């Protein structure tokens, strides 16, 4: 973790790197790790606060230029993680946290880990800790409107303060204030960052944590008017005229279809409509979804009428089941099936595939199953290699934890070896059945990616997100290659995967890339990405990871969001082209960044602004945008209903 995420991104101070290696970050994380495997929210701790990313902690510690005897003040103890890192480097650490629960937990954790040089106080850190002043260094882990004067006063000559400062609650500059021997200060700007708000006498007011207290700018009528003029209204999903739109898509090889939630009926139905047009009028022959390979393989077998045996478990039984087990998806599946039945040449039938990597054990079984049939000797060797992962079947995240605390990844080599052996025998095996061999190698790739995923996920930050999107992109690339030079793919995934990450704070502030960006880099104009959005209505989502599906009300969109602009256009549903050079006036108006909403499998309306809105520049993110002002939740199917309707797929 230290080499990959901290050193590689430019932290070189040896004392900081040693400290990062020494502090067991897992001890500061909440028990339930799975949550950040999937969603786009920051790593939450109690009281709606967050634990800082290791890279940020390291970069701030380096900026403080700490010496071994320094006396350090930290504002915002949070989990206590950063305090522990500071304590490894400096002499004494005094840390202040305003939330009692957090201060208590952090104190206990630090005691358990035997950090005797950390002292935690519950109170308002913007007032400093006069009893222990002056400090050689002050680290502020929350963003305030200015540098609190009191903290500058409590700084020793030669001392440094590192603090995020900005008028906006979502966007700050990281500043370093240095005091010289005469008491003069010098301020340097170290770059853009985003922290939770600093609340107190020298920070924001109490209300800053409650979304309702946020500054609300005037609605932007003129832009809404431009949208109204430029868009193509959709009166009925089935009837909408898509001709001009298909013209724009031109000869794209890849069309990316987003969604602004994982549970909105209109998004599914419109994507089905666009997909069927692309298949019929543009020769698209691959549908690739943000679902797991072996699950989608069951659907693929059904729609393409393949005859080799597939995994026997019913698909899409993993949380969030409603994403791919719903009536809207069944309609797509039924359409694909009847479309394919009319195509004689199996090579030209439309396939249905999963790009995601959460099916570690199903995929591993599928590889063994395949080898058992074609090469029992190889199956035995592969079985021994995969056995390395078997103790963690109930919760693969624990494998990640074990690998981290052991200091090496026991299963990395064996899973890669299975994949390598399979690929080496490509010629022998593939001759017998290309599709089946491709299915097996896809599963073996997935196992190798998932093994790594569960290890890096453990540290949060951009690495696990990037690995997952890289895997989805690589799988898409392999699919296109396998289906031949004129293959074309439609991808169904969340906006956060298909919109270009460089146009959002994911890329700009968090160093995350995604399928949309990777496709743009690889295919240029031959990829066309379409974002989807809504103002209000209902959505299927859970409150917590692995929690039950609920039908939740979607809060009306935020006044400074793209969604609100679309709502203000008063067009109930539309398609808006954003690709250069068309629609110059709208493009230009929309290009300055605004908030955009992302509802995932989890939706928490209570903390919507913090957990579901991010900054984006819409025309750089997507080539087109599909809008439904009011939407409703998907029609999820209970397992029995799904089985009864399509036994070949869900049985
Ligand atoms: N350094 C922490 C991350 C802290 S997040 C870690 O490594 O886990 C910022 C923390 O600052 C939050 O816990 C928040 O409650 C706290 N905070 C905000 N304003 C504060 C203030 N005026 N005084 C003390 N703590 C404050």
């Amino acid at each position: 973790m230290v080499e990959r995420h901290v050193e590689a991104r430019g932290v070189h101070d040896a004392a900081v790197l040693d400290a990062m290696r020494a502090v067991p970050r897992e001890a500061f994380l909440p028990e339930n790790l799975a949550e950040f495997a999937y969603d786009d929210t920051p790593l939450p701790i109690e009281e709606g606060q967050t634990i800082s990313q290791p890279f940020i902690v390291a970069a701030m510690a380096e900026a403080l230029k700490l010496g071994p005897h320094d006396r350090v003040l930290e504002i915002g103890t949070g989990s206590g993680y950063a305090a522990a890192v500071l304590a490894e480097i400096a002499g004494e650490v005094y840390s202040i946290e305003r939330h009692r629960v957090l201060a208590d937990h952090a104190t206990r954790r630090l005691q358990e880990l035997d950090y005797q040089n950390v002292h935690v106080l519950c109170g308002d850190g913007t007032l400093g800790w006069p009893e222990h002043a002056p400090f050689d260094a002050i680290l502020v882990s929350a963003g305030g409107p200015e540098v609190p004067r009191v903290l500058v006063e409590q700084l020793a000559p030669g001392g440094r303060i590192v603090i995020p400062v900005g008028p906006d609650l979502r966007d700050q500059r990281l500043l370093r204030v240095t005091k010289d021997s005469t008491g003069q200060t010098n301020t340097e700007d170290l770059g853009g960052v985003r922290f939770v708000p600093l609340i107190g006498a020298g920070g924001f007011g109490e209300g800053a944590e409650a979304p309702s207290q946020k500054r609300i700018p005037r609605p932007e009528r003129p832009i809404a008017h431009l949208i109204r003029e430029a868009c193509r209204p959709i009166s009925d999903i089935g009837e909408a005229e898509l001709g001009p739109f298909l013209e724009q898509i031109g000869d794209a090889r890849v069309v990316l279809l987003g969604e602004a939630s994982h549970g909105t009926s209109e998004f599914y139905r419109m994507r089905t409509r666009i997909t069927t047009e692309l298949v019929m009028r543009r020769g698209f022959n691959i549908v690739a979804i943000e679902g797991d390979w072996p699950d989608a393989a069951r659907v693929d077998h059904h729609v393409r009428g393949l005859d080799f045996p597939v995994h026997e478990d019913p698909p899409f039984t993993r949380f969030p089941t409603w994403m791919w087990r719903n009536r809207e998806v069944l309609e797509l599946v039924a359409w694909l099936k009847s479309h394919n039945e009319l195509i004689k040449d199996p090579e030209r039938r439309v396939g249905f595939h999963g790009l995601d990597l959460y099916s570690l054990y199903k995929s591993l079984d599928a590889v063994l199953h395949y080898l058992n049939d074609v090469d029992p000797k190889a199956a035995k060797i592969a079985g021994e290699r995969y056995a390395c992962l078997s103790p963690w079947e109930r919760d693969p995240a624990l494998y990640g934890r074990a690998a981290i605390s052991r200091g090496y990844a026991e299963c990395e080599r064996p899973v890669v070896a299975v994949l390598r052996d399979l690929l080496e025998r490509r010629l022998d095996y593939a001759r017998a059945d290309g599709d089946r061999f491709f299915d097996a190698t896809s599963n073996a790739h997935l196992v190798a990616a998932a093994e790594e995923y569960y290890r890096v996920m453990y540290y949060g930050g951009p690495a696990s997100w990037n690995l997952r999107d890289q895997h989805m992109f690589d799988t898409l690339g392999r699919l296109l290659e396998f289906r031949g030079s004129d293959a074309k793919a439609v991808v169904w995934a969340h906006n956060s995967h298909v919109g270009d990450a460089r146009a959002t704070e994911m890329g700009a502030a968090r160093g995350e890339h995604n399928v949309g960006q990777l496709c743009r880099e690889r295919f240029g104009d031959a990829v066309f990405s379409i974002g989807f959005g809504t103002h209000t209505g209902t959505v299927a989502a859970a409150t917590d990871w692995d929690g039950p599906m609920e039908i939740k009300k979607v809060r009306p969109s935020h006044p400074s969001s793209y969604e609100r602009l679309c709502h203000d256009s008063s067009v109930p549903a539309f398609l808006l082209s954003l690709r250069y050079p068309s629609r110059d006036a709208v493009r230009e108006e929309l290009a300055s960044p605004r908030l955009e909403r992302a509802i995932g499998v989890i939706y928490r309306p209570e903390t919507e602004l913090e957990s579901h809105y991010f900054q984006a520049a819409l025309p750089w993110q997507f080539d087109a945008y599909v809008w439904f002002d009011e939407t409703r939740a998907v029609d999820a199917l209970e397992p029995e209903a799904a089985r009864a309707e399509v036994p070949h797929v869900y049985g």
Side-chain angles (χ1 to χ4, degrees):
M1 185 275 291
V2 173
E3 274 105 59
R4 272 179 61 174
H5 308 314
V6 179
E7 223 174 335
R9 289 178 63 188
V11 173
H12 300 301
D13 186 322
V16 173
L17 295 173
D18 284 347
M20 298 298 291
R21 285 194 192 93
V23 178
R25 188 164 191 256
E26 60 274 18
F28 296 89
L29 288 172
E31 270 295 301
N32 180 5
L33 299 165
E35 170 141 356
F36 43 93
Y38 208 90
D39 216 34
D40 18 45
T41 55
L43 303 192
I45 53 178
E46 298 90 341
E47 305 289 346
Q49 303 301 322
T50 56
I51 178 167
S52 310
Q53 284 178 13
F55 168 71
I56 288 288
V57 173
M60 290 173 89
E62 181 171 67
L64 282 173
K65 300 185 183 160
L66 297 173
H69 306 295
D70 278 357
R71 179 191 281 272
V72 184
L73 174 68
E74 187 202 21
I75 318 296
T77 319
S79 67
Y81 173 65
V85 171
L86 297 173
E88 291 281 345
I89 310 170
E92 295 293 324
V93 176
Y94 298 89
S95 186
I96 309 177
E97 168 57 52
R98 64 186 286 268
H99 283 295
R100 164 68 58 197
V101 177
L102 292 176
D104 289 351
H105 282 193
T107 306
R108 200 169 335 119
R109 281 185 190 126
L110 290 161
Q111 266 167 9
E112 274 164 15
L113 294 168
D114 207 22
Y115 282 104
Q116 297 182 5
N117 56 341
V118 186
H119 317 275
V120 178
L121 172 76
C122 181
D124 177 3
T126 63
L127 302 174
W129 197 336
E131 293 84 344
H132 297 288
F135 301 98
D136 302 300
I138 300 180
L139 177 72
V140 185
S141 298
E146 60 194 6
V147 182
R149 198 178 31 81
V150 180
L151 297 186
V152 179
E153 285 166 11
Q154 293 186 14
L155 201 59
R160 292 82 50 198
I161 303 180
V162 170
I163 177 173
V165 171
D168 196 296
L169 291 177
R170 304 184 58 82
D171 185 21
Q172 303 110 10
R173 308 297 302 178
L174 190 63
L175 302 184
R176 174 168 53 199
V177 179
T178 311
K179 199 185 221 180
D180 67 18
S181 50
T182 68
Q184 296 282 18
T185 59
N186 173 40
T187 302
E188 297 156 89
D189 184 338
L190 308 178
V193 286
R194 198 180 117 198
F195 280 79
V196 298
L198 179 70
I199 292 168
F204 289 107
E206 283 286 340
E209 262 175 343
S212 58
Q213 305 276 323
K214 297 277 162 74
R215 188 166 45 91
I216 297 180
R218 207 164 42 84
E220 297 165 277
R221 295 279 167 201
I223 312 184
H225 187 71
L226 276 176
I227 294 178
R228 188 184 172 83
E229 308 257 279
C231 75
R232 201 169 278 284
I234 300 172
S235 50
D236 178 286
I237 291 176
E239 304 289 310
E241 167 56 19
L242 296 182
F245 181 58
L246 290 178
E247 285 302 308
Q248 264 229 316
I249 290 179
D251 294 329
R253 273 199 89 186
V254 176
V255 171
L256 305 172
L257 301 178
E259 57 179 344
S261 83
H262 281 311
T264 302
S265 178
E266 285 77 2
F267 298 159
Y268 282 87
R269 287 184 282 135
M270 188 64 186
R271 292 189 296 176
T272 294
R273 176 71 210 289
I274 297 173
T275 302
T276 58
E277 294 285 325
L278 290 171
V279 167
M280 290 190 302
R281 302 215 241 156
R282 284 282 188 277
F284 277 67
N285 60 349
I286 294 167
V287 176
I289 63 162
E290 186 189 340
D292 296 330
W293 181 273
D295 288 348
R298 295 260 316 200
V299 178
D300 186 42
H301 281 234
H302 170 65
V303 301
R304 284 203 287 156
L306 301 176
D307 53 10
F308 62 85
V310 279
H311 205 282
E312 280 166 16
D313 290 349
F316 309 121
T317 49
R318 176 184 71 78
F319 175 88
T321 52
W322 64 91
M323 225 171 115
W324 301 112
R325 212 178 57 207
N326 59 53
R327 201 163 292 286
E328 288 81 353
V329 168
L330 273 190
E331 270 164 32
L332 169 70
V333 171
W335 186 87
L336 289 171
K337 173 89 182 150
S338 60
H339 172 82
N340 281 342
E341 274 167 0
L342 300 174
I343 300 178
K344 296 252 157 29
D345 179 3
E347 298 284 302
R348 295 196 40 238
R349 294 189 189 138
V350 183
F352 186 90
H353 305 280
L355 303 179
D356 222 335
L357 50 57
Y358 289 101
S359 57
L360 175 53
Y361 291 92
K362 245 189 204 183
S363 289
L364 173 162
D365 280 350
V367 172
L368 297 179
H369 191 78
Y370 169 74
L371 285 173
N372 258 325
D373 280 356
V374 302
D375 187 348
K377 242 167 69 200
K380 191 161 172 294
I381 299 172
E384 283 159 11
R385 286 173 168 154
Y386 278 163
C388 174
L389 286 165
S390 34
W392 321 102
E393 181 150 4
R394 271 197 48 234
D395 187 356
L398 294 179
Y399 165 66
R401 178 186 292 213
I404 297 316
S405 53
R406 220 188 281 118
Y408 67 96
E410 180 181 13
C411 304
E412 186 176 12
R413 276 156 179 273
V415 301
V416 171
V418 174
L419 173 62
R420 196 195 49 221
D421 282 5
L422 251 182
L423 293 175
E424 272 171 9
R425 283 183 223 157
R426 184 186 293 276
L427 286 180
D428 309 342
Y429 292 170
R431 204 175 300 124
D433 186 338
D435 262 309
R436 197 175 174 203
F437 175 71
F438 184 71
D439 181 65
T441 53
S442 299
N443 279 309
H445 274 291
L446 191 153
V447 175
E451 184 274 336
E452 193 180 354
Y453 178 78
Y454 285 112
R455 276 187 286 120
V456 304
M457 167 187 125
Y458 202 61
Y459 284 110
S464 58
W465 172 276
N466 286 349
L467 195 145
R468 180 171 164 229
D469 270 54
Q470 184 72 47
H471 173 76
M472 294 205 269
F473 172 73
D474 291 343
T475 307
L476 177 66
R478 285 190 290 267
L479 269 166
L480 285 165
E481 191 186 338
F482 178 65
R483 295 297 300 265
S485 56
D486 52 2
K488 293 181 178 184
V490 197
V491 175
W492 286 40
H494 197 275
N495 283 347
S496 54
H497 294 295
V498 308
D500 191 328
R502 291 167 296 183
T504 71
E505 64 177 59
M506 288 168 64
R510 301 210 295 267
E512 288 171 352
H513 62 222
N514 65 1
V515 174
Q517 173 181 344
L518 296 170
C519 279
R520 184 68 74 208
E521 287 166 353
R522 163 91 67 91
F523 301 109
D525 278 351
V527 58
F528 196 94
S529 70
I530 307 176
F532 286 65
T534 183
H535 172 63
T536 189
T538 57
V539 67
T543 300
D544 291 298
W545 187 263
D546 257 342
M549 184 195 92
E550 298 164 53
I551 306 291
K552 299 196 174 208
K553 280 212 170 76
V554 177
R555 285 174 73 154
S557 59
H558 191 277
S560 26
S561 65
Y562 281 111
E563 286 84 352
R564 182 56 70 93
L565 284 181
C566 294
H567 172 70
D568 285 345
S569 76
S570 309
V571 185
F574 64 71
L575 225 159
L576 180 67
S577 166
L578 297 168
R579 184 176 259 197
Y580 185 81
S582 78
R583 311 289 182 213
D584 272 351
V586 207
R587 258 191 74 87
E588 218 168 276
E589 286 297 338
L590 292 178
S592 53
R594 287 182 177 75
L595 292 178
E596 186 183 306
R597 177 166 56 197
I599 297 175
V601 293
I602 292 171
Y603 181 42
R604 295 187 179 141
E606 323 78 67
T607 59
E608 197 188 45
L609 183 53
E610 280 72 23
S611 49
H612 297 284
Y613 278 99
F614 58 96
Q615 292 278 347
L618 197 74
W620 298 109
Q621 195 185 1
F622 301 113
D623 295 305
Y625 195 59
V626 170
W627 177 253
F628 292 100
D629 199 63
E630 191 168 345
T631 46
R632 65 171 172 81
V634 279
D635 200 354
L637 289 167
E638 290 299 322
E640 300 72 39
R643 212 173 300 134
E645 293 209 25
V646 196
H648 302 299
V649 179
Y650 294 110

